[in-house]
Amino acid sequence: MDRAAIVFVHGLFSSSETWRDLRAQLSGMPGIAQEFDLLFFDYATPRSSISPLRKIPNLDTVAESLRSYLDGQPVSHQRLVFVTHSQGGLVVQRYLSRMLAEGRGWELARIRRVVMFACPNNGSELFLLLRRSLMGVIGNNQERELRPLQASVQEAQRRVMTGIVHARYVSSDRCPIPFMSYAGESDNVVSHSSAVGVFPEAAVLPGDHFSVIKPGPDGRLVRALRGNLDKALLEPFPEESVSGAPTHAHSGARSEEFLAEHEMFGPVVVRTGDSTTPFFIHGGPLEQLRGIDVIASSENIYLQMSQFFKSSTSGSLRRAAAVKGAGGEILEDVAGDSLIAWLRTNARYGLPVREGTVAPTPSGALAERGVHRIYHAAVVTPVDGTGEYIVNPHAITRATHNIFEVARRERRELGLHLSSICLPLFGSGRGDITPDRSFDLVWGALMSELSDDSDSSWSIHFAARRRRSFDRLRERLLAKQAEHDAEHGMA
């Protein structure tokens, strides 16, 4: 039987002893011992070194040591899962980054998951103060890289996000590997935002910075880890090539007929929880929409809108929201400027935001048509050095959920009477997601939001600029209505 292995990587000023309690529990669990070997990578991480013959290794050196450790294993495991604590997550990220930089992406294909606990992806100010209070810590190579916004850490993370997390196939410089980040509920050493970083999959577990990896009586840590291990055993190995596959918009999309004038289909009433929700489909130019409170726009993870001349949803909304002069010239770029202001306020200008983030802006000139807000959803990730884009399906569902969260907050805090939301088919333009797949992802998130919402006043609108997409949306919506009617015994 082919063996799998869990590789545990500890954090700063620690050792493999930090995994003692978890190791004891996992070793006694049915299935774990039969399916996984437990491997514990140790590396030097002293507080200080007074010997002139010894130095404290930096993360690059530790990453090389990790590679030697894996290469030197007596058993060649078919599947590997990395489980890390604190700085250990940065060690694994540095290892993966260096492997990609050396063109060794194919060698990473057996790694089927990375699970990080309390990893300081964005550094930690508090931990910095604590470290500096310890004798001899100042000047420690590893401590220095845990400070906020370290260039070496950010560069490794950038390569990991592009070449690992968002990769869709394996090659010399990329290999898809799922990441899962956990923050400690009471962790005052590594904040929630730092533990999550820009990784798309994240959750919170009980405990502080150190107890988050200690099994508790509630069993949440072990259940969470076991869930990740089960997924790693089932995770398919990545494809080696996508030669000939489309990397931008689907080839047929370029020749589809654009709808020159607004068309609407609906309402289609669907039962959602204890109430019903009307759904509509709109075809044609977005600037012709009227009486919809919120229009959502698909943006990249830098939340940069498309240029005015682009035919994309983002470019069309930017153009429609702008205040124009008598000759059509742009006097005020309302949506674009407001989005930049949001990024500056949230200290993300020039930096990526987490996938699924939703930034609200005023609607500008669209207010004259009864549109109150534009919600910018970060769902598209540019691929460095190319004109290609990729979309993580989780970004679509997370963005849909966040749109409702923002709308409810703006209702409450700004007193806005928001009841109608218009959604595009996220990722179905240049994101290489089919319209049907996008619709299914959005629909699943919509059913969750609408079924759990005690306020039944929402109406949902879908936007399509092309005839084929408009017709396909109509077919899918009617099919969903029939499914829900059958589930609720309605004729």
Side-chain angles (χ1 to χ4, degrees):
M1 177 180 176
D2 292 321
R3 296 289 293 173
I6 309 171
V7 183
F8 294 88
V9 184
H10 62 77
L12 185 73
F13 308 151
S14 185
S15 70
S16 58
E17 183 67 12
T18 195
W19 303 107
R20 180 183 57 188
D21 296 343
L22 185 57
R23 177 179 191 172
Q25 187 147 348
L26 293 178
S27 298
M29 288 183 62
I32 294 290
Q34 290 78 13
E35 295 164 342
F36 291 94
D37 290 331
L38 305 185
L39 307 179
F40 297 86
F41 172 65
D42 266 307
Y43 60 93
T45 176
R47 290 181 172 84
S48 62
S49 176
I50 60 175
S51 170
L53 301 179
R54 296 177 65 87
K55 70 175 183 178
I56 299 173
N58 59 24
L59 292 190
D60 284 326
T61 302
V62 176
E64 285 300 303
S65 179
L66 175 58
R67 178 162 67 180
S68 299
Y69 173 80
L70 295 174
D71 290 344
Q73 288 300 309
V75 176
S76 180
H77 296 93
Q78 185 185 36
R79 292 173 182 264
L80 294 180
V81 179
F82 281 110
V83 176
T84 73
H85 177 239
S86 193
Q87 178 182 262
L90 300 183
V91 170
V92 170
Q93 290 180 49
R94 190 66 58 88
Y95 160 72
L96 296 174
S97 174
R98 290 175 65 86
M99 290 289 283
L100 294 183
E102 295 174 13
R104 303 177 67 170
W106 284 285
E107 298 178 38
L108 302 177
R110 63 176 179 154
I111 303 171
R112 291 296 81 216
R113 190 157 288 259
V114 176
V115 184
M116 301 187 298
F117 294 98
C119 178
N121 290 296
N122 297 334
S124 170
E125 291 285 359
L126 176 61
F127 209 16
L128 174 61
L129 295 176
L130 291 176
R131 295 192 300 269
R132 285 182 170 175
S133 69
L134 299 172
M135 182 179 300
V137 167
I138 297 177
N140 185 303
N141 288 329
Q142 294 171 23
E143 180 275 329
R144 186 178 297 112
E145 295 201 64
L146 295 190
R147 299 175 188 177
L149 303 178
Q150 285 297 297
S152 57
V153 173
Q154 291 188 316
E155 172 59 23
Q157 189 175 95
R158 182 198 64 77
R159 185 175 284 120
V160 165
M161 292 302 295
T162 300
I164 299 288
V165 176
H166 296 308
R168 305 187 67 178
Y169 58 91
V170 63
S171 67
S172 62
D173 64 348
R174 64 192 64 201
C175 180
I177 301 172
F179 266 69
M180 183 68 194
S181 302
Y182 289 100
E185 185 177 70
S186 306
D187 193 344
N188 199 33
V189 174
V190 174
S191 67
H192 174 271
S193 61
S194 184
V196 171
V198 294
F199 290 93
E201 292 301 299
V204 177
L205 290 174
D208 57 27
H209 187 67
F210 301 100
S211 63
V212 70
I213 59 169
K214 306 295 183 184
D218 60 4
R220 284 178 60 184
L221 168 64
V222 174
R223 285 198 302 273
L225 185 54
R226 183 58 203 255
N228 280 281
L229 296 177
D230 290 342
K231 291 177 181 178
L233 290 176
L234 298 174
E235 181 72 28
F237 292 104
E239 297 288 337
E240 292 192 4
S241 173
V242 292
S243 58
T247 55
H248 289 81
H250 298 282
S251 57
R254 293 186 178 89
S255 59
E256 284 185 24
E257 174 193 353
F258 277 90
L259 293 169
E261 297 294 331
H262 177 257
E263 292 187 26
M264 187 183 78
F265 175 75
V268 175
V269 179
V270 177
R271 188 159 191 83
T272 51
D274 296 329
S275 60
T276 58
T277 302
F279 289 81
F280 300 82
I281 302 172
H282 299 267
L286 289 171
E287 54 267 33
Q288 293 184 11
L289 293 177
R290 182 184 297 275
I292 299 175
D293 298 323
V294 176
I295 300 180
S297 177
S298 179
E299 314 289 4
N300 60 44
I301 59 171
Y302 292 88
L303 287 178
Q304 294 177 340
M305 297 193 75
S306 295
Q307 294 299 317
F308 294 106
F309 57 84
K310 296 284 188 179
S311 62
S312 63
T313 298
S314 178
S316 298
L317 281 176
R318 186 177 188 179
R319 183 170 58 251
V323 177
K324 306 174 185 67
E329 72 277 16
I330 303 298
L331 301 179
E332 184 181 357
D333 180 14
V334 177
D337 291 344
S338 298
L339 190 53
I340 290 174
W342 186 94
L343 287 165
R344 292 191 185 281
T345 299
N346 290 274
R348 301 307 299 174
Y349 187 63
L351 298 174
V353 299
R354 188 184 180 196
E355 290 176 318
T357 295
V358 173
T361 66
S363 61
L366 281 170
E368 299 175 4
R369 302 185 65 85
V371 177
H372 301 301
R373 304 292 279 173
I374 299 175
Y375 286 179
H376 306 265
V379 297
V380 180
T381 299
V383 178
D384 284 359
T386 73
E388 300 178 11
Y389 296 82
I390 54 177
V391 174
N392 184 336
H394 295 294
I396 296 176
T397 55
R398 186 176 293 115
T400 306
H401 286 295
N402 286 340
I403 284 169
F404 280 86
E405 181 179 335
V406 172
R408 294 187 189 103
R409 185 174 69 243
E410 293 204 316
R411 276 176 166 182
R412 183 176 62 252
E413 297 178 358
L414 302 181
L416 297 176
H417 300 289
L418 307 177
S419 62
S420 53
I421 297 176
C422 183
L423 302 165
L425 291 176
F426 291 118
S428 63
R430 300 189 71 185
D432 209 23
I433 295 283
T434 66
D436 280 4
R437 175 63 169 151
S438 177
F439 177 81
D440 287 341
L441 291 167
V442 171
W443 185 266
L446 281 174
M447 291 303 101
S448 174
E449 290 290 336
L450 296 171
S451 298
D452 294 341
D453 200 328
S454 59
D455 185 343
S456 59
S457 65
W458 296 108
S459 67
I460 306 300
H461 303 250
F462 289 101
R465 295 177 296 121
R466 296 181 174 93
R467 167 62 64 189
R468 185 192 300 177
S469 299
F470 180 85
D471 292 342
R472 185 58 180 158
L473 269 174
R474 180 171 54 194
E475 293 174 9
R476 297 303 306 278
L477 184 56
L478 290 173
K480 291 293 184 182
Q481 182 191 42
E483 289 176 14
H484 282 254
D485 285 351
E487 290 175 6
H488 293 88
M490 301 171 64

